[in-house]
PDB file of all heavy atoms in Angstrom:
ATOM      1  N   PHE A 347      -2.611   6.975 -12.398  1.00  0.00           N
ATOM      2  CA  PHE A 347      -1.182   7.145 -12.046  1.00  0.00           C
ATOM      3  C   PHE A 347      -0.303   6.067 -12.672  1.00  0.00           C
ATOM      4  O   PHE A 347       0.900   6.236 -12.795  1.00  0.00           O
ATOM      5  CB  PHE A 347      -0.990   7.207 -10.522  1.00  0.00           C
ATOM      6  CG  PHE A 347      -1.027   5.870  -9.820  1.00  0.00           C
ATOM      7  CD1 PHE A 347       0.142   5.133  -9.611  1.00  0.00           C
ATOM      8  CD2 PHE A 347      -2.231   5.337  -9.355  1.00  0.00           C
ATOM      9  CE1 PHE A 347       0.104   3.901  -8.962  1.00  0.00           C
ATOM     10  CE2 PHE A 347      -2.276   4.113  -8.710  1.00  0.00           C
ATOM     11  CZ  PHE A 347      -1.107   3.396  -8.516  1.00  0.00           C
ATOM     12  N   ILE A 348      -0.902   4.977 -13.117  1.00  0.00           N
ATOM     13  CA  ILE A 348      -0.097   3.908 -13.728  1.00  0.00           C
ATOM     14  C   ILE A 348       0.123   4.101 -15.233  1.00  0.00           C
ATOM     15  O   ILE A 348       0.919   3.393 -15.824  1.00  0.00           O
ATOM     16  CB  ILE A 348      -0.745   2.527 -13.509  1.00  0.00           C
ATOM     17  CG1 ILE A 348      -2.085   2.446 -14.238  1.00  0.00           C
ATOM     18  CG2 ILE A 348      -0.919   2.215 -12.042  1.00  0.00           C
ATOM     19  CD1 ILE A 348      -2.596   1.030 -14.320  1.00  0.00           C
ATOM     20  N   VAL A 349      -0.598   5.046 -15.858  1.00  0.00           N
ATOM     21  CA  VAL A 349      -0.543   5.170 -17.323  1.00  0.00           C
ATOM     22  C   VAL A 349       0.826   5.716 -17.752  1.00  0.00           C
ATOM     23  O   VAL A 349       1.245   6.769 -17.304  1.00  0.00           O
ATOM     24  CB  VAL A 349      -1.656   6.103 -17.843  1.00  0.00           C
ATOM     25  CG1 VAL A 349      -1.509   6.338 -19.348  1.00  0.00           C
ATOM     26  CG2 VAL A 349      -3.024   5.501 -17.528  1.00  0.00           C
ATOM     27  N   SER A 350       1.493   4.965 -18.612  1.00  0.00           N
ATOM     28  CA  SER A 350       2.800   5.414 -19.119  1.00  0.00           C
ATOM     29  C   SER A 350       2.710   5.922 -20.549  1.00  0.00           C
ATOM     30  O   SER A 350       3.500   6.757 -20.956  1.00  0.00           O
ATOM     31  CB  SER A 350       3.807   4.268 -19.047  1.00  0.00           C
ATOM     32  OG  SER A 350       3.326   3.159 -19.784  1.00  0.00           O
ATOM     33  N   HIS A 351       1.772   5.411 -21.325  1.00  0.00           N
ATOM     34  CA  HIS A 351       1.705   5.764 -22.748  1.00  0.00           C
ATOM     35  C   HIS A 351       0.258   5.952 -23.182  1.00  0.00           C
ATOM     36  O   HIS A 351      -0.598   5.122 -22.878  1.00  0.00           O
ATOM     37  CB  HIS A 351       2.333   4.665 -23.616  1.00  0.00           C
ATOM     38  CG  HIS A 351       3.805   4.521 -23.420  1.00  0.00           C
ATOM     39  ND1 HIS A 351       4.340   3.870 -22.339  1.00  0.00           N
ATOM     40  CD2 HIS A 351       4.851   4.980 -24.167  1.00  0.00           C
ATOM     41  CE1 HIS A 351       5.666   3.916 -22.421  1.00  0.00           C
ATOM     42  NE2 HIS A 351       6.007   4.587 -23.519  1.00  0.00           N
ATOM     43  N   GLN A 352       0.013   7.031 -23.922  1.00  0.00           N
ATOM     44  CA  GLN A 352      -1.271   7.242 -24.598  1.00  0.00           C
ATOM     45  C   GLN A 352      -0.974   7.359 -26.082  1.00  0.00           C
ATOM     46  O   GLN A 352      -0.238   8.256 -26.508  1.00  0.00           O
ATOM     47  CB  GLN A 352      -1.945   8.518 -24.098  1.00  0.00           C
ATOM     48  CG  GLN A 352      -2.260   8.453 -22.611  1.00  0.00           C
ATOM     49  CD  GLN A 352      -3.153   9.595 -22.177  1.00  0.00           C
ATOM     50  OE1 GLN A 352      -4.239   9.788 -22.714  1.00  0.00           O
ATOM     51  NE2 GLN A 352      -2.695  10.353 -21.205  1.00  0.00           N
ATOM     52  N   LEU A 353      -1.521   6.431 -26.872  1.00  0.00           N
ATOM     53  CA  LEU A 353      -1.112   6.311 -28.275  1.00  0.00           C
ATOM     54  C   LEU A 353      -2.337   6.206 -29.184  1.00  0.00           C
ATOM     55  O   LEU A 353      -3.402   5.740 -28.768  1.00  0.00           O
ATOM     56  CB  LEU A 353      -0.272   5.035 -28.453  1.00  0.00           C
ATOM     57  CG  LEU A 353       1.031   4.951 -27.647  1.00  0.00           C
ATOM     58  CD1 LEU A 353       1.626   3.556 -27.756  1.00  0.00           C
ATOM     59  CD2 LEU A 353       2.029   6.002 -28.114  1.00  0.00           C
ATOM     60  N   PRO A 354      -2.172   6.601 -30.450  1.00  0.00           N
ATOM     61  CA  PRO A 354      -3.242   6.341 -31.409  1.00  0.00           C
ATOM     62  C   PRO A 354      -3.330   4.843 -31.712  1.00  0.00           C
ATOM     63  O   PRO A 354      -2.365   4.101 -31.486  1.00  0.00           O
ATOM     64  CB  PRO A 354      -2.813   7.134 -32.651  1.00  0.00           C
ATOM     65  CG  PRO A 354      -1.347   7.326 -32.506  1.00  0.00           C
ATOM     66  CD  PRO A 354      -1.028   7.301 -31.043  1.00  0.00           C
ATOM     67  N   LEU A 355      -4.480   4.419 -32.220  1.00  0.00           N
ATOM     68  CA  LEU A 355      -4.689   2.996 -32.510  1.00  0.00           C
ATOM     69  C   LEU A 355      -3.598   2.436 -33.419  1.00  0.00           C
ATOM     70  O   LEU A 355      -3.157   1.293 -33.253  1.00  0.00           O
ATOM     71  CB  LEU A 355      -6.071   2.817 -33.157  1.00  0.00           C
ATOM     72  CG  LEU A 355      -6.588   1.385 -33.256  1.00  0.00           C
ATOM     73  CD1 LEU A 355      -6.899   0.819 -31.878  1.00  0.00           C
ATOM     74  CD2 LEU A 355      -7.842   1.334 -34.126  1.00  0.00           C
ATOM     75  N   ASP A 356      -3.147   3.224 -34.380  1.00  0.00           N
ATOM     76  CA  ASP A 356      -2.158   2.761 -35.361  1.00  0.00           C
ATOM     77  C   ASP A 356      -0.861   2.265 -34.720  1.00  0.00           C
ATOM     78  O   ASP A 356      -0.116   1.516 -35.343  1.00  0.00           O
ATOM     79  CB  ASP A 356      -1.804   3.906 -36.334  1.00  0.00           C
ATOM     80  CG  ASP A 356      -2.916   4.132 -37.342  1.00  0.00           C
ATOM     81  OD1 ASP A 356      -3.636   3.161 -37.640  1.00  0.00           O
ATOM     82  OD2 ASP A 356      -3.057   5.279 -37.818  1.00  0.00           O
ATOM     83  N   GLU A 357      -0.589   2.709 -33.497  1.00  0.00           N
ATOM     84  CA  GLU A 357       0.675   2.310 -32.853  1.00  0.00           C
ATOM     85  C   GLU A 357       0.497   1.122 -31.911  1.00  0.00           C
ATOM     86  O   GLU A 357       1.381   0.813 -31.113  1.00  0.00           O
ATOM     87  CB  GLU A 357       1.277   3.510 -32.119  1.00  0.00           C
ATOM     88  CG  GLU A 357       1.733   4.592 -33.099  1.00  0.00           C
ATOM     89  CD  GLU A 357       2.414   5.774 -32.414  1.00  0.00           C
ATOM     90  OE1 GLU A 357       3.185   5.527 -31.470  1.00  0.00           O
ATOM     91  OE2 GLU A 357       2.145   6.905 -32.828  1.00  0.00           O
ATOM     92  N   ALA A 358      -0.632   0.432 -32.036  1.00  0.00           N
ATOM     93  CA  ALA A 358      -0.928  -0.660 -31.105  1.00  0.00           C
ATOM     94  C   ALA A 358       0.080  -1.805 -31.190  1.00  0.00           C
ATOM     95  O   ALA A 358       0.490  -2.361 -30.165  1.00  0.00           O
ATOM     96  CB  ALA A 358      -2.340  -1.188 -31.349  1.00  0.00           C
ATOM     97  N   SER A 359       0.506  -2.172 -32.397  1.00  0.00           N
ATOM     98  CA  SER A 359       1.398  -3.340 -32.518  1.00  0.00           C
ATOM     99  C   SER A 359       2.710  -3.102 -31.794  1.00  0.00           C
ATOM    100  O   SER A 359       3.219  -3.974 -31.081  1.00  0.00           O
ATOM    101  CB  SER A 359       1.651  -3.658 -33.991  1.00  0.00           C
ATOM    102  OG  SER A 359       0.425  -3.970 -34.620  1.00  0.00           O
ATOM    103  N   LYS A 360       3.254  -1.900 -31.942  1.00  0.00           N
ATOM    104  CA  LYS A 360       4.482  -1.538 -31.240  1.00  0.00           C
ATOM    105  C   LYS A 360       4.256  -1.576 -29.730  1.00  0.00           C
ATOM    106  O   LYS A 360       5.089  -2.075 -28.958  1.00  0.00           O
ATOM    107  CB  LYS A 360       4.886  -0.117 -31.683  1.00  0.00           C
ATOM    108  CG  LYS A 360       6.122   0.418 -31.011  1.00  0.00           C
ATOM    109  CD  LYS A 360       6.369   1.890 -31.371  1.00  0.00           C
ATOM    110  CE  LYS A 360       5.529   2.814 -30.502  1.00  0.00           C
ATOM    111  NZ  LYS A 360       5.818   4.241 -30.691  1.00  0.00           N
ATOM    112  N   ALA A 361       3.099  -1.064 -29.309  1.00  0.00           N
ATOM    113  CA  ALA A 361       2.796  -1.031 -27.878  1.00  0.00           C
ATOM    114  C   ALA A 361       2.714  -2.445 -27.306  1.00  0.00           C
ATOM    115  O   ALA A 361       3.214  -2.707 -26.204  1.00  0.00           O
ATOM    116  CB  ALA A 361       1.487  -0.278 -27.642  1.00  0.00           C
ATOM    117  N   TYR A 362       2.088  -3.367 -28.050  1.00  0.00           N
ATOM    118  CA  TYR A 362       2.035  -4.769 -27.593  1.00  0.00           C
ATOM    119  C   TYR A 362       3.440  -5.328 -27.395  1.00  0.00           C
ATOM    120  O   TYR A 362       3.720  -6.014 -26.401  1.00  0.00           O
ATOM    121  CB  TYR A 362       1.249  -5.646 -28.586  1.00  0.00           C
ATOM    122  CG  TYR A 362      -0.214  -5.766 -28.229  1.00  0.00           C
ATOM    123  CD1 TYR A 362      -1.153  -4.896 -28.763  1.00  0.00           C
ATOM    124  CD2 TYR A 362      -0.648  -6.745 -27.341  1.00  0.00           C
ATOM    125  CE1 TYR A 362      -2.498  -4.996 -28.419  1.00  0.00           C
ATOM    126  CE2 TYR A 362      -1.988  -6.854 -26.995  1.00  0.00           C
ATOM    127  CZ  TYR A 362      -2.913  -5.982 -27.540  1.00  0.00           C
ATOM    128  OH  TYR A 362      -4.228  -6.080 -27.190  1.00  0.00           O
ATOM    129  N   GLN A 363       4.329  -5.065 -28.348  1.00  0.00           N
ATOM    130  CA  GLN A 363       5.695  -5.597 -28.231  1.00  0.00           C
ATOM    131  C   GLN A 363       6.384  -5.088 -26.969  1.00  0.00           C
ATOM    132  O   GLN A 363       6.970  -5.859 -26.212  1.00  0.00           O
ATOM    133  CB  GLN A 363       6.534  -5.180 -29.444  1.00  0.00           C
ATOM    134  CG  GLN A 363       6.196  -5.951 -30.712  1.00  0.00           C
ATOM    135  CD  GLN A 363       6.808  -5.301 -31.951  1.00  0.00           C
ATOM    136  OE1 GLN A 363       7.776  -4.542 -31.871  1.00  0.00           O
ATOM    137  NE2 GLN A 363       6.231  -5.576 -33.107  1.00  0.00           N
ATOM    138  N   HIS A 364       6.287  -3.785 -26.734  1.00  0.00           N
ATOM    139  CA  HIS A 364       6.974  -3.210 -25.568  1.00  0.00           C
ATOM    140  C   HIS A 364       6.350  -3.682 -24.256  1.00  0.00           C
ATOM    141  O   HIS A 364       7.063  -4.022 -23.308  1.00  0.00           O
ATOM    142  CB  HIS A 364       6.915  -1.678 -25.623  1.00  0.00           C
ATOM    143  CG  HIS A 364       7.822  -1.077 -26.648  1.00  0.00           C
ATOM    144  ND1 HIS A 364       9.193  -1.130 -26.547  1.00  0.00           N
ATOM    145  CD2 HIS A 364       7.546  -0.400 -27.793  1.00  0.00           C
ATOM    146  CE1 HIS A 364       9.734  -0.512 -27.585  1.00  0.00           C
ATOM    147  NE2 HIS A 364       8.758  -0.060 -28.360  1.00  0.00           N
ATOM    148  N   PHE A 365       5.014  -3.701 -24.204  1.00  0.00           N
ATOM    149  CA  PHE A 365       4.331  -4.086 -22.961  1.00  0.00           C
ATOM    150  C   PHE A 365       4.604  -5.562 -22.673  1.00  0.00           C
ATOM    151  O   PHE A 365       4.880  -5.957 -21.530  1.00  0.00           O
ATOM    152  CB  PHE A 365       2.833  -3.796 -23.103  1.00  0.00           C
ATOM    153  CG  PHE A 365       2.029  -3.965 -21.846  1.00  0.00           C
ATOM    154  CD1 PHE A 365       2.420  -3.384 -20.638  1.00  0.00           C
ATOM    155  CD2 PHE A 365       0.838  -4.689 -21.852  1.00  0.00           C
ATOM    156  CE1 PHE A 365       1.659  -3.533 -19.482  1.00  0.00           C
ATOM    157  CE2 PHE A 365       0.071  -4.846 -20.703  1.00  0.00           C
ATOM    158  CZ  PHE A 365       0.484  -4.271 -19.515  1.00  0.00           C
ATOM    159  N   ASP A 366       4.575  -6.406 -23.727  1.00  0.00           N
ATOM    160  CA  ASP A 366       4.833  -7.836 -23.564  1.00  0.00           C
ATOM    161  C   ASP A 366       6.258  -8.091 -23.073  1.00  0.00           C
ATOM    162  O   ASP A 366       6.490  -8.984 -22.257  1.00  0.00           O
ATOM    163  CB  ASP A 366       4.594  -8.556 -24.893  1.00  0.00           C
ATOM    164  CG  ASP A 366       4.780 -10.054 -24.769  1.00  0.00           C
ATOM    165  OD1 ASP A 366       4.124 -10.653 -23.888  1.00  0.00           O
ATOM    166  OD2 ASP A 366       5.574 -10.636 -25.524  1.00  0.00           O
ATOM    167  N   ALA A 367       7.208  -7.293 -23.559  1.00  0.00           N
ATOM    168  CA  ALA A 367       8.609  -7.460 -23.145  1.00  0.00           C
ATOM    169  C   ALA A 367       8.870  -6.859 -21.769  1.00  0.00           C
ATOM    170  O   ALA A 367       9.983  -6.953 -21.263  1.00  0.00           O
ATOM    171  CB  ALA A 367       9.531  -6.815 -24.181  1.00  0.00           C
ATOM    172  N   ARG A 368       7.830  -6.278 -21.155  1.00  0.00           N
ATOM    173  CA  ARG A 368       7.981  -5.555 -19.879  1.00  0.00           C
ATOM    174  C   ARG A 368       9.119  -4.546 -20.004  1.00  0.00           C
ATOM    175  O   ARG A 368       9.940  -4.385 -19.087  1.00  0.00           O
ATOM    176  CB  ARG A 368       8.247  -6.496 -18.707  1.00  0.00           C
ATOM    177  CG  ARG A 368       6.992  -7.098 -18.060  1.00  0.00           C
ATOM    178  CD  ARG A 368       6.281  -8.049 -18.937  1.00  0.00           C
ATOM    179  NE  ARG A 368       5.212  -8.798 -18.270  1.00  0.00           N
ATOM    180  CZ  ARG A 368       4.395  -9.632 -18.910  1.00  0.00           C
ATOM    181  NH1 ARG A 368       4.509  -9.824 -20.219  1.00  0.00           N
ATOM    182  NH2 ARG A 368       3.450 -10.274 -18.259  1.00  0.00           N
ATOM    183  N   ASP A 369       9.201  -3.887 -21.156  1.00  0.00           N
ATOM    184  CA  ASP A 369      10.251  -2.881 -21.338  1.00  0.00           C
ATOM    185  C   ASP A 369      10.093  -1.773 -20.304  1.00  0.00           C
ATOM    186  O   ASP A 369       8.973  -1.410 -19.940  1.00  0.00           O
ATOM    187  CB  ASP A 369      10.190  -2.304 -22.761  1.00  0.00           C
ATOM    188  CG  ASP A 369      10.814  -3.249 -23.779  1.00  0.00           C
ATOM    189  OD1 ASP A 369      11.598  -4.132 -23.362  1.00  0.00           O
ATOM    190  OD2 ASP A 369      10.516  -3.119 -24.982  1.00  0.00           O
ATOM    191  N   ASN A 370      11.238  -1.271 -19.875  1.00  0.00           N
ATOM    192  CA  ASN A 370      11.245  -0.283 -18.810  1.00  0.00           C
ATOM    193  C   ASN A 370      10.364   0.909 -19.178  1.00  0.00           C
ATOM    194  O   ASN A 370      10.507   1.489 -20.250  1.00  0.00           O
ATOM    195  CB  ASN A 370      12.682   0.175 -18.556  1.00  0.00           C
ATOM    196  CG  ASN A 370      12.790   1.008 -17.303  1.00  0.00           C
ATOM    197  OD1 ASN A 370      12.168   0.702 -16.281  1.00  0.00           O
ATOM    198  ND2 ASN A 370      13.543   2.081 -17.374  1.00  0.00           N
TER     199      ASN A 370
END
Side-chain angles (χ1 to χ4, degrees):
F347 79 91
I348 65 167
V349 174
S350 57
H351 293 78
Q352 298 191 56
L353 299 171
L355 193 68
D356 285 332
E357 293 183 40
S359 299
K360 178 187 82 174
Y362 267 93
Q363 285 167 22
H364 286 293
F365 188 50
D366 183 54
R368 275 68 171 175
D369 282 340
N370 190 41

